[in-house]
Amino acid sequence: MTIEERGLSVILLGPPGVGKGTQGAILADSFGWERIVTGDLLRAARREGTELGRKAQRYMDAGDLVPDGLIVALVRERLQQLPEDRGIVFDGFPRTVAQAEALAIALPELGREIDAVLLLEAPDEVLVKRISGRRSCPQCGRVFNVHFDPPISEAICDECGARLDHRKDDQPETVRHRLAVYRRETEPLVEHYGRQLGAVLRVDGVGSLDEVAAGVQRALNTHLELEAQA
Ligand code: AP5
């Protein structure tokens, strides 16, 4: 059975700016999978002025994690909306052991399980440069980078012509705090999933978009081949 047909559930782990969003979008496009991107769901809730958006705002602006209860409810709701047979890439979730435990309960209720956890890795100086150059379109969601993938016209989205955003939590001070929060709250998931699944698939996040995407595909294919032989 091909990766497309299997409808896998894959978690993308990694520090801020490593390329989870970029690679998650490539995986979803390549295989027709759905994406659950908690950062995007929260930013949409903020734009729409919902109660969740209002509650999440101060945590996000400070670079802190939004409380687990709010996030788990959001992901559970989103999971219910997805077609049963479609693969899913989780990007930015889970981010704490408590979130991982909640996902381990929610997925089997839907007849799913976690098939693979991919960890994208890059040194802090690469992350800081990528984040400082990121510009996102609030309208169509396309992400640019002024250093690596600039828009044709500065500050304007090539796709839809909207004015591009520089995320408030992408300021250098907040980025340093987000990295510290990642090390404290999210990095323990590498050991957690290593124990639970036997392996976390490490992928070098340094390189061009295509090189990193090829690393992701290789890691996933090798993992699935080994599983099939077991
Ligand atoms: P979230 O939006 O998830 O932020 P993050 O995890 O910090 O990740 P980023 O979006 O910063 O980076 P990325 O790894 O997706 O990189 P990207 O592909 O964009 O979360 C924001 C906030 O929401 C959190 O701080 C928290 O408050 C809250 N939140 C979200 N989920 C939560 C949860 N589960 N629990 C609690 N709170 C939660 O790439 C970055 C830039 O680099 C882009 O410009 C891109 O174009 C460029 N780039 C990517 N790959 C390459 C490459 N290979 N070469 C050159 N440039 C590249």
Side-chain angles (χ1 to χ4, degrees):
M1 203 183 271
T2 64
I3 294 186
E4 290 92 325
E5 288 162 347
R6 282 198 45 183
L8 301 178
S9 301
V10 172
I11 293 172
L12 276 181
L13 281 183
V18 75
K20 301 181 296 296
T22 306
Q23 296 301 326
I26 294 175
L27 271 177
D29 282 352
S30 309
F31 300 129
W33 292 352
E34 301 285 341
R35 298 168 70 204
I36 294 191
V37 187
T38 42
D40 285 354
L41 292 173
L42 291 168
R43 279 183 288 277
R46 285 178 57 167
R47 274 197 304 278
E48 289 156 17
T50 65
E51 194 186 340
L52 169 68
R54 281 195 298 278
K55 284 184 180 159
Q57 175 148 6
R58 69 187 165 95
Y59 298 100
M60 296 176 79
D61 286 349
D64 286 320
L65 295 185
V66 175
D68 289 335
L70 294 176
I71 297 290
V72 168
L74 178 70
V75 171
R76 271 187 166 277
E77 188 189 331
R78 184 82 187 97
L79 274 171
Q80 301 286 350
Q81 298 162 350
L82 300 183
E84 272 172 31
D85 54 347
R86 198 76 64 75
I88 304 177
V89 192
F90 293 91
D91 162 359
F93 178 89
R95 249 174 157 101
T96 63
V97 172
Q99 291 180 16
E101 285 169 349
L103 184 64
I105 294 171
L107 280 182
E109 287 172 6
L110 298 166
R112 293 179 180 270
E113 59 180 27
I114 297 163
D115 294 287
V117 176
L118 289 155
L119 172 65
L120 292 176
E121 299 178 291
D124 284 3
E125 60 272 20
V126 172
L127 305 175
V128 170
K129 177 148 193 203
R130 283 187 189 169
I131 289 179
S132 71
R134 172 168 48 197
R135 301 291 182 272
S136 320
C137 177
Q139 200 156 290
C140 72
R142 174 141 179 217
V143 177
F144 297 86
N145 195 291
V146 296
H147 306 302
F148 307 109
D149 176 23
I152 295 166
S153 167
E154 203 190 333
I156 299 296
C157 178
D158 295 356
E159 300 290 333
C160 69
R163 177 155 284 276
L164 298 173
D165 270 351
H166 190 187
R167 273 168 49 176
K168 196 168 177 187
D169 63 343
D170 280 353
Q171 303 304 323
E173 189 75 354
T174 316
V175 171
R176 275 193 288 279
H177 182 65
R178 282 163 59 199
L179 283 168
V181 170
Y182 171 78
R183 306 269 179 248
R184 192 178 67 234
E185 304 285 344
T186 308
E187 219 164 46
L189 288 179
V190 177
E191 207 187 311
H192 175 89
Y193 280 123
R195 269 199 314 273
Q196 188 177 308
L197 302 177
V200 164
L201 313 179
R202 291 177 181 268
V203 176
D204 187 358
V206 181
S208 68
L209 300 193
D210 289 347
E211 284 165 347
V212 179
V216 166
Q217 293 263 359
R218 246 191 332 269
L220 214 44
N221 282 326
T222 309
H223 174 69
L224 294 175
E225 277 165 27
L226 289 173
E227 246 193 358
Q229 287 163 18

